[in-house]
């Protein structure tokens, strides 16, 4: 068994051949009772050697129709733990680059113990891997701070900041380099990554960042957060003057109201998420994309990109999260126009020009992909490139199975490539073939991600094209497909339609 010394006490992990893993290490006190809806508190030091061979609980969350999510652990509010993987020959003081993962799930789903995020493959490739649990749904992104001093804002963000503080103070004991920490995540996890680029308290906690399919503009103001909190309180039968009762509401009831609001908000306001980070004037003082465009994001190297057919996953799931139908898109545009009357939205002619040879649902899927993910990523890349190197990508590859189901390079399909978990027991990606090509793509992506963590530059294997940094002069973008290629001004058409000015899709 592998034992590592942490600031709270020694932890015993498990040896898995070439890799050692420590699971369920507490980085904060249990967020229950008086600590529910509060910023995380440091954990107490333990006596003896803590057994770290089982994953800690996942944050309580709803079951979503058409989504079979293996969390890898039971659910419980006492969920603030993390997991560490390192090669078995790693020793304290080795100072290997560190990759810290933030799971996705629309801010209401997921955990750091999902089998998809098994860190063994990446650890064998030479990095120390950390996956984090943070509070989600009403537990992590319900803002009650306007109801009194007994509640904190942006709790989920504060959890991640606490976990990064733990990594800074303890990762050397696992052979990692606290000065080379790359924060990476996908979907909501990537949204936290891009948000933390604008959070003052995050300065110095990570030296590089990777944002895979970030909903970077899904960050709301405190007024909308207050409205959402009032809806939640009403559903629970609690008045504003009784808000303290929320600490005694059963976790199952909070999960149920999370699910209700999660479904109602995008149905009423297409393109809008229920639970997201907010501009609270404390943890987060401005919108991340706006801060980036004004050169105010943390100057760390950044990989950012999206998948070519992001919205196809939401169509397959029959999810209301993204505006795919013409009616939903029209409603979304009307909402943006009413909230931001000075904004120059694209005309119908510009939209047609930006999406040639597309009609109906096909055009809707492309617009939804660009509204939710591509344009926010490009806008952030444009701004952040003023302060640090930015590497923009688009993931285009799809296996025969994903093409058959018309999913193609949909949201989250790049994940097994990054983690090296293609063909795992519950991964159907390769059921109809394509293993040789897919595994070659996975090797290239892992090489680029690891080299970026090690040296700040995403170099691929020998013979692969040089991934040049994004600049406004050429807007270089790596297209990841059967063969990698660097394309200049890949997004010229949609930039012409949407422009360089950030649209707040809220």
């Amino acid at each position: 068994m592998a034992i590592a010394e942490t600031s709270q006490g020694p932890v015993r992990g498990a040896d898995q051949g070439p890799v050692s893993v420590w699971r369920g290490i507490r980085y904060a006190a249990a967020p229950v009772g008086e600590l529910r809806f509060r910023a995380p508190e440091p954990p107490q030091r333990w006596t003896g050697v803590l057994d770290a061979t089982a994953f800690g609980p996942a944050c309580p969350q709803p079951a979503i129709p058409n989504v079979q999510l293996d969390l890898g652990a039971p659910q419980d509010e006492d969920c603030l733990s993390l997991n560490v993987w390192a090669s078995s020959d790693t020793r304290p003081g080795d100072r290997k680059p560190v990759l810290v993962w933030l799971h996705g799930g629309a801010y209401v789903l997921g955990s750091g113990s999902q089998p998809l995020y098994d860190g063994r493959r990446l650890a064998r490739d030479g990095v120390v891997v950390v996956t984090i649990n943070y509070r989600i749904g009403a537990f992590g992104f319900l803002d009650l701070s306007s109801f009194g001093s007994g509640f904190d804002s942006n709790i989920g963000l504060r959890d991640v900041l606490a976990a990064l503080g733990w990594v800074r103070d303890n990762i050397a004991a696992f052979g990692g380099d606290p000065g080379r920490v790359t924060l990476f995540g996908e979907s909501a996890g990537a949204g936290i990554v891009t948000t933390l680029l604008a959070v003052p308290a995050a300065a110095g906690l990570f030296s590089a960042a990777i944002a895979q399919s970030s909903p970077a503009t899904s960050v709301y103001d405190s007024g909308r957060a207050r409205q959402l909190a009032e809806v939640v309180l009403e559903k629970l039968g609690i008045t504003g003057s009784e808000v303290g009762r929320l600490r005694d509401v059963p976790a199952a009831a909070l999960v149920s109201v999370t699910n209700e609001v999660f479904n109602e908000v995008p149905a009423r306001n297409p393109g809008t998420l229920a639970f997201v980070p907010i501009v609270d004037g404390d943890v987060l003082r401005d919108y991340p994309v706006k801060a980036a465009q004004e050169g105010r994001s943390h100057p760390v190297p950044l990989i950012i990109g999206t998948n070519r057919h992001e919205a196809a996953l939401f169509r397959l799931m029959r999810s209301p999260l993204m505006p795919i139908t013409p009616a939903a898109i029209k409603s979304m545009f009307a909402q943006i126009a009413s909230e931001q009357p000075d904004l120059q939205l694209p005309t119908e002619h510009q939209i047609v020009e930006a999406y040639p040879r597309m009609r109906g649902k096909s055009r809707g899927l492309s617009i939804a992909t660009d509204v939710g993910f591509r344009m926010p990523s490009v806008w952030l890349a444009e701004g952040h490139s003023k302060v640090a190197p930015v590497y923009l990508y688009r993931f285009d590859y799809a296996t025969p199975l994903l093409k058959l189901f018309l999913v193609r390079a949909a949201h989250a399909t790049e994940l097994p490539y990054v983690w090296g978990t293609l063909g795992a027991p519950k991964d159907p990606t390769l059921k109809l073939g394509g293993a040789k090509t897919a595994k070659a793509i996975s090797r290239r992506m892992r090489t680029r991600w690891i080299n970026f963590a090690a040296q700040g530059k995403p170099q691929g294997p020998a013979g692969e094209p040089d991934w040049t940094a994004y600049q406004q002069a050429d807007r270089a973008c790596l297209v990841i497909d059967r063969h990698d290629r660097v394309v200049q001004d890949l997004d010229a058409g949609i930039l012409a339609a949407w422009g360089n000015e950030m649209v707040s899709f809220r």
Side-chain angles (χ1 to χ4, degrees):
M1 291 293 182
I3 295 180
E5 293 287 341
T6 76
S7 53
Q8 283 77 42
V11 292
R12 177 186 292 111
D15 287 324
Q16 297 181 330
V19 173
S20 296
V21 57
W22 295 262
R23 302 183 180 98
I25 303 174
R26 183 185 296 278
Y27 68 84
V32 298
E34 291 299 312
L35 293 183
R36 182 188 266 184
F37 305 118
R38 297 304 305 264
E41 293 286 339
Q44 291 185 346
R45 182 175 175 82
W46 49 78
T47 58
V49 179
L50 179 75
D51 181 76
T53 57
F55 287 117
C59 183
Q61 55 197 267
I64 304 296
N66 305 316
V67 178
Q68 295 181 343
L69 197 61
D70 183 356
L71 296 175
Q75 299 178 37
D76 191 86
E77 273 194 83
D78 186 6
C79 61
L80 299 184
S81 64
L82 50 77
N83 317 292
V84 182
W85 285 263
S87 61
S88 296
D89 60 356
T90 302
R91 296 292 179 266
D94 281 357
R95 303 184 73 84
K96 290 187 175 182
V98 181
L99 281 167
V100 177
W101 176 252
L102 302 179
H103 68 79
Y107 297 103
V108 299
L109 301 172
S111 76
S113 54
Q114 291 174 237
L116 179 61
Y117 311 138
D118 189 314
R120 282 180 289 181
R121 176 72 262 184
L122 287 172
R124 283 163 54 189
D125 289 341
V127 293
V128 176
V129 180
V130 180
T131 65
I132 294 171
N133 283 349
Y134 56 93
R135 281 173 282 182
I136 53 180
F139 299 95
F141 292 95
L142 177 66
D143 179 45
L144 301 166
S145 60
S146 63
F147 291 91
S149 60
F151 302 96
D152 293 311
S153 58
N154 280 320
I155 303 164
L157 294 184
R158 295 177 193 265
D159 289 345
V160 175
L161 290 170
L164 287 170
W166 185 96
V167 170
R168 175 197 60 207
D169 298 339
N170 292 284
I171 205 63
F174 299 84
D177 184 351
R180 284 193 298 169
V181 173
T182 297
L183 184 64
F184 75 135
E186 183 266 348
S187 194
I192 294 178
V193 172
T194 52
T195 299
L196 290 183
L197 287 172
V199 169
L205 291 178
F206 54 94
S207 58
I210 302 173
Q212 301 167 206
S213 304
S214 170
T217 51
S218 290
V219 176
Y220 305 160
D221 61 30
S222 57
R224 190 179 290 258
R226 168 87 185 200
Q227 292 173 10
L228 183 78
E230 289 172 347
V231 169
V232 169
L233 290 172
E234 182 180 358
K235 287 181 178 294
L236 292 171
I238 296 174
T239 66
S241 61
E242 303 171 318
V243 69
R245 288 175 50 200
L246 270 177
R247 293 195 181 89
D248 301 319
V249 170
L254 287 175
V255 169
S256 179
V257 77
T258 290
N259 192 39
E260 282 187 53
V261 176
F262 175 73
N263 289 321
E264 290 174 1
V265 167
R268 186 171 59 249
N269 298 305
T272 304
L273 292 173
F275 299 98
V276 296
I278 66 164
V279 178
D280 58 1
D282 180 14
V283 176
L284 182 61
R285 299 171 187 172
D286 207 345
Y287 298 104
V289 174
K290 181 173 179 284
Q293 289 182 328
E294 295 176 358
R296 294 185 285 111
S297 49
H298 295 308
V300 299
L302 171 68
I303 289 176
I304 189 167
T306 62
N307 297 352
R308 186 171 185 177
H309 308 105
E310 297 275 4
L313 175 69
F314 302 95
R315 178 187 61 182
L316 181 70
M317 294 165 50
R318 297 187 176 90
S319 169
L321 282 179
M322 298 198 73
I324 293 171
T325 66
I329 292 171
K330 185 176 181 180
S331 174
M332 179 195 67
F333 272 76
Q335 180 184 343
I336 295 170
S338 66
E339 292 185 356
Q340 303 172 74
D342 297 330
L343 194 65
Q344 296 298 313
L345 291 173
T347 65
E348 184 175 350
H349 174 73
Q350 287 173 311
I351 291 294
V352 171
E353 289 291 314
Y355 304 94
R357 298 183 298 279
M358 293 184 185
R359 294 182 179 179
K361 289 184 178 180
S362 176
R363 182 178 292 163
L365 285 168
S366 293
I367 292 173
T369 291
D370 294 339
V371 163
F373 300 101
R374 188 62 184 177
M375 288 313 306
S377 295
V378 171
W379 286 324
L380 198 140
E382 289 261 339
H384 193 72
S385 65
K386 301 172 186 175
V387 299
V390 174
Y391 300 91
L392 181 69
Y393 76 87
R394 192 181 74 188
F395 182 83
D396 282 18
Y397 183 70
T399 62
L401 178 80
L402 297 184
K403 290 179 180 177
L404 177 67
F405 283 96
L406 302 180
V407 175
R408 296 174 293 177
H411 191 64
T413 56
E414 89 288 0
L415 287 172
Y417 295 82
V418 170
W419 285 90
T421 51
L422 280 163
K426 295 186 179 181
D427 173 29
T429 306
L430 304 178
K431 292 296 185 183
L432 295 182
K436 182 177 180 181
T437 298
K439 290 181 178 180
I441 293 171
S442 178
R443 283 192 296 272
R444 296 201 305 269
M445 290 189 75
R446 294 198 316 273
T447 298
R448 292 189 187 277
W449 265 229
I450 288 170
N451 283 340
F452 181 72
Q455 59 198 23
K457 293 184 178 180
Q459 299 303 319
E464 292 299 320
D466 182 32
W467 187 357
T468 51
Y470 183 96
Q471 300 176 29
Q472 290 188 5
D474 59 14
R475 297 191 173 102
C477 176
L478 180 74
V479 175
I480 302 170
D481 206 335
R482 288 179 174 272
H483 304 284
D484 288 353
R485 67 186 193 279
V486 176
V487 179
Q488 295 185 357
D489 223 359
L490 180 69
D491 303 295
I494 56 175
L495 273 170
W498 296 101
N500 292 326
E501 184 179 4
M502 180 185 72
V503 179
S504 275
F505 299 107
R506 304 194 294 279

